[in-house]
Every structure is written in C-alpha cells, then in structure tokens.
Amino acid sequence: MWRECRCYCRAMLLALSLVLPVRAASLPAPQEVTIPLPGAGLFGRTLDMPALLYRPAGDGPFPVLLFSHGRAGSTQERHQLRYPLGRSQIAYWLAKGFIIVAPIRPGYGNTGGGDPEYHSAHMLAPGQCSSHPDYRHTAEAGSAALQAAIRWIGQQPWGAGQPIVLEGQSVGGLLTVAVGASSPPGVVAYINFAGGAGGNPEKSPGQSCEPQALTALYADFGRHTVLPNLWLYAENDQYWGPDEPVAWHQAFAAGGSPTRFVHAAAVADGDGHGLSRHPAALWAATLDDFLQSLPVLAGRLHEPATSP
C-alpha cells in the first residue's frame, strides 16, 4: 500500500498548498456529530456512525452536500480514517453555500461494525484476479449507511426540506450511484468521482478485478435512475484505467438516466484516482456547470463574502 499512500500524501500536500488562495486557518473546524444506524451494531443494536459537519457562513437555510469517502486496502488504513474529504472539496462546497455532511461508515475510523463493504476482490498480478467479487454486496452494505444519513439530515432543523446533493469518491462514488438509483427523498442530484471497486494500483495498475461485473451493476442502476448525475474520472486513474469507466458509464447511460460523463485530463502527479482531492482548478468548472443546470438550486448558489 506504500504506493497508494505516497499518492494520497502528495495529493493532500497539493490540496494544502495549491488549492486555496487563503491561509489554512480560514476553513472552519467541523462539528462532530453521530448518525444512528439501527441494527448495524453487535447483536443487532444501533450503531452510532460519526460524521463531520461543516457549516457555511451566514444564517441559511442551506442546501446540503452528503459526501461519501472511498475505501483503503488494509484494515489498518481503514481504521485510521478521520477526515473523509479533502480541503479543496470543503472550500468549494462551503463557498457555494452548502452544509457538508461527511459520515465515516461502518468498517472505517472508529465506527466499528466489522467490514460490511468487503467484496472479496483480490489481484494476483496485472490483469489477474483470484476471486469473483460481489460488488452488489458492497453497494448495498454501504448504501444502508448513506440512506440512514439522508433520513437523519431530513430530521435536522437545518436539513428538513432542503435539497441534498450526493457526492462520492471511489467506492463512495459507487455507493452514490447505488443510492441515486433509489431516488431518496430530498436528494436532487449526485456527483460520482472515480466510482468503482476492486482496483489495486500496486499489483495491477489500471486493471481492476472483473470490471465487467461492475458494467452489469452500473447498467442495472442506470435503468432505475431519474436523478441528474455527473461522473468524473481522470485519464490516469491507476485503479480502473482509462477505458473501463467509459464502458461503465455507457452501460449506465443506456438506461436513459439524465447523466454526463467527463474524462478529466491526466493528473500531473500520477494520482488520477484521487482527482476529487486535487486542486479545484481540475474539476470546479465542471461542477459549476452541473450545479447551475439544476433548476432546484436556482438562486441558491453563491460565493459568500467570507468564502474560504
């Protein structure tokens, strides 16, 4: 996992030094909250899922961004997760006037709950997968946490009746597509950054485990999706490569969903998979166009005077 760690660290350094034309202190500290997950704990008990809540400047009301993090390869890395999204994303959404909710799902951080999103994908060598992964299981297990977060948002004084946009990175992108297919109450659109599962950039760079299984899964989601959605993948994604995401989206789009695919240029440091954590200059214009196309957000997008 060292290579992945180096890429992630480089991405975070770029986010810290290049993304924002302001000092680090200008981003607000998050509020730590918990979201109940009935039945997800030991012996069917309710599990408290921690989440970070970032509030924009002003009195509101505010639209809501629900962010879904990706998946690390090792148990240790998953349990070390503390901050689900990068500074460039935080700055972008706060400047747009969104409240950000970023849960840490079961199996990550201190949430507990075992590893419910395990899909059994295991790469032996480039292009050689030793198992038949169950990506639908991953999607269903992770989606349960997101659905609970959506219900929780609707119960908060600042979230009731407000439009919700979903955004996910990597496995979080897959979960976002899965949840979007169910058209949850309050959700108006979603953004999928590098969504997928089963990649291993160390043993099989650019070639994931049984990508055709994801093609079929995405096709199924596309047949049930009516929400506007945007898919963003970098050309040098070391988990999926440049071609499979195109095939995934084509299968999804065949269902008639109002969708758009953007193949971003190769990220300079090689970490195309971490596109969402990189400087906003690489993706902000695309997100701007997408958000401005949503009638439900007309007049709700702004650049506050105190924008980070």
Side-chain angles (χ1 to χ4, degrees):
M1 303 302 295
W2 172 238
R3 179 194 208 167
E4 180 182 352
C5 180
R6 285 187 302 172
C7 288
Y8 178 80
C9 291
R10 285 198 299 267
M12 291 305 294
L13 286 173
L14 281 170
L16 288 170
S17 62
L18 300 178
V19 176
L20 306 175
V22 292
R23 294 171 299 186
S26 64
L27 284 181
Q31 177 185 354
E32 297 182 1
V33 298
T34 58
I35 298 172
L37 300 180
L42 191 63
F43 305 118
R45 296 172 181 167
T46 295
L47 183 69
D48 288 330
M49 177 172 64
L52 300 183
L53 178 68
Y54 296 86
R55 294 178 180 269
D59 297 326
F62 306 108
V64 183
L65 185 281
L66 176 58
F67 184 87
S68 302
H69 60 75
R71 174 182 177 84
S74 72
T75 301
Q76 180 180 5
E77 288 173 314
R78 289 193 297 275
H79 288 177
Q80 288 175 345
L81 178 64
R82 296 292 182 272
Y83 298 99
L85 73 168
R87 293 177 59 81
S88 57
Q89 286 285 323
I90 298 169
Y92 176 85
W93 290 105
L94 290 181
K96 290 296 178 187
F98 279 73
I99 280 183
I100 303 169
V101 180
I104 299 176
R105 301 188 303 274
Y108 303 88
N110 294 323
T111 306
D115 186 15
E117 297 176 12
Y118 180 62
H119 45 58
S120 79
H122 181 64
M123 301 301 299
L124 297 174
Q128 296 182 20
C129 185
S130 68
S131 60
H132 296 290
D134 188 348
Y135 297 132
R136 184 176 292 276
H137 168 78
T138 298
E140 291 176 350
S143 294
L146 298 189
Q147 295 281 10
I150 292 168
R151 291 191 295 270
W152 178 83
I153 289 169
Q155 296 166 358
Q156 306 310 305
W158 46 261
Q162 298 305 311
I164 302 170
V165 174
L166 308 180
E167 183 183 53
Q169 159 69 32
S170 191
V171 166
L174 169 61
L175 305 185
T176 295
V177 176
V179 171
S182 69
S183 298
V187 176
V188 299
Y190 71 75
I191 299 159
N192 164 23
F193 265 102
N200 187 324
E202 290 181 330
K203 293 185 177 180
S204 185
Q207 300 180 73
S208 59
C209 181
E210 293 197 5
Q212 68 276 9
L214 271 177
T215 303
L217 184 59
Y218 279 134
D220 184 44
F221 291 149
R223 287 188 288 268
H224 300 90
T225 300
V226 296
L227 292 174
N229 57 89
L230 172 66
W231 295 37
L232 293 94
Y233 292 75
E235 292 182 354
N236 61 339
D237 191 311
Q238 295 300 303
Y239 281 73
W240 327 129
D243 300 327
E244 292 300 342
V246 175
W248 295 340
H249 184 261
Q250 288 176 343
F252 174 88
S257 171
T259 185
R260 179 187 177 194
F261 181 92
V262 173
H263 225 164
V267 175
D269 71 350
D271 180 28
H273 187 67
L275 178 64
S276 70
R277 298 187 296 261
H278 279 68
L282 298 179
W283 45 261
T286 300
L287 264 61
D288 286 348
D289 290 344
F290 177 67
L291 295 175
Q292 290 166 4
S293 73
L294 303 174
V296 71
L297 294 180
R300 301 292 300 271
L301 305 175
H302 60 86
E303 300 288 339
T306 55
S307 170

